[in-house]
Amino acid sequence: PSICYGLRGICYLQVEIQGPGHDLHSGSFGGAVPNPLNVLVELLAALHDQEGRITIPGFYDQVFPLTEEERQSLAALPFDEEEFQRTTGVPALDGEMGYTTLERVWGRPTLDVNGILGGFTGEGPKTVIPSLAMAKVSMRLVPDQRPDEIADLFEEYLESLCPPTVCMTMKRLHEGRPFLAPIDHPIFSAASRALEQAYGWPAGFIREGGSIPFVTTISEALDSLVCW
């Protein structure tokens, strides 16, 4: 049995890089005309460093850190990392250095490229320099990060990196605030006692890496559990 007391928020944007007015032949124009896909992947690659940290200036300024007590509590959970890896199908797990797998997916912010579109992707060869390249990027947020502030930082950083040879536009697609409740609140004590009585085993306290934006809205409206 487990009780979830925290959720990550989300900030989701679309990035578009416009180069030539139409697709061009890479033999006739390659080397003289900027390639939007080349520019886009260079920008995306610059968003993480070699230790898995997000490079956007100010990104971590409002992160509410995991307490030592909380880290010990998460480490004590019956979590099978090898089984977790097997369910993903990856050869090895990866992420921000200095944190465990559960800490990474529950208590740390992330940035992921969710999709890339551009150029020729059909069967066989077609050597084009694409006119447009697009990527969708999401960031999972933790308390006390605010989606609108993170979106501002993301846009400012990419604008500072984007070369003058292309035009870049960004669209904000979706956002949701993170949630964190105080586990010493009486409601958690009552829930813990009830679960232990039902299951015959003490309940574990967990966070969730996904986002349910309306939870923070409801908690604020009821002036109840939000502690940040």
Side-chain angles (χ1 to χ4, degrees):
S2 60
I3 299 172
C4 182
Y5 65 96
L7 298 162
R8 289 196 292 192
I10 188 169
C11 177
Y12 200 138
L13 299 96
Q14 180 169 311
V15 182
E16 296 182 359
I17 304 294
Q18 179 71 54
H22 52 84
D23 291 354
L24 299 174
H25 186 269
S26 65
S28 300
F29 296 93
V33 174
N35 185 318
L37 271 174
N38 290 355
V39 173
L40 179 62
V41 296
E42 289 174 1
L43 294 176
L44 298 177
L47 293 174
H48 290 90
D49 65 17
Q50 295 299 312
E51 295 185 345
R53 284 180 61 85
I54 297 162
T55 56
I56 299 171
F59 184 84
Y60 293 98
D61 286 357
Q62 302 303 318
V63 170
F64 189 80
L66 292 161
T67 65
E68 187 58 36
E69 180 182 6
E70 188 174 16
R71 299 186 77 173
Q72 293 175 3
S73 177
L74 296 181
L77 292 173
F79 173 66
D80 188 335
E81 187 161 310
E82 291 184 358
E83 177 61 23
F84 178 85
Q85 178 185 332
R86 282 194 293 270
T87 64
T88 68
V90 297
L93 299 177
D94 193 20
E96 185 183 4
M97 291 184 63
Y99 296 91
T100 68
T101 296
L102 285 183
E103 290 171 350
R104 290 168 179 167
V105 298
W106 287 352
R108 296 297 294 172
T110 61
L111 185 153
D112 286 291
V113 179
N114 303 119
I116 297 180
L117 181 67
F120 176 70
T121 58
E123 292 290 335
K126 184 179 181 183
T127 54
V128 299
I129 295 174
S131 170
L132 181 70
M134 180 272 287
K136 294 181 184 290
V137 179
S138 68
M139 290 162 281
R140 296 289 174 172
L141 310 179
V142 298
D144 291 324
Q145 292 178 305
R146 301 285 177 167
D148 56 338
E149 295 175 358
I150 294 299
D152 288 342
L153 294 175
F154 178 89
E155 292 173 349
E156 291 170 6
Y157 186 50
L158 279 198
E159 287 170 355
S160 72
L161 297 178
C162 188
T165 53
V166 296
C167 296
M168 179 172 62
T169 58
M170 286 176 275
K171 302 175 184 177
R172 302 186 184 188
L173 303 180
H174 177 54
E175 68 175 36
R177 287 181 292 164
F179 174 79
L180 186 66
I183 59 176
D184 58 353
H185 190 283
I187 195 171
F188 286 107
S189 299
S192 181
R193 291 194 303 270
L195 286 171
E196 184 170 358
Q197 182 176 352
Y199 288 92
W201 192 267
F205 286 89
I206 68 170
R207 292 200 197 185
E208 167 57 47
S211 306
I212 310 177
F214 66 81
V215 171
T216 297
T217 302
I218 291 175
S219 187
E220 288 181 342
L222 298 176
D223 192 23
S224 55
L225 295 179
V226 171
C227 64
W228 56 275

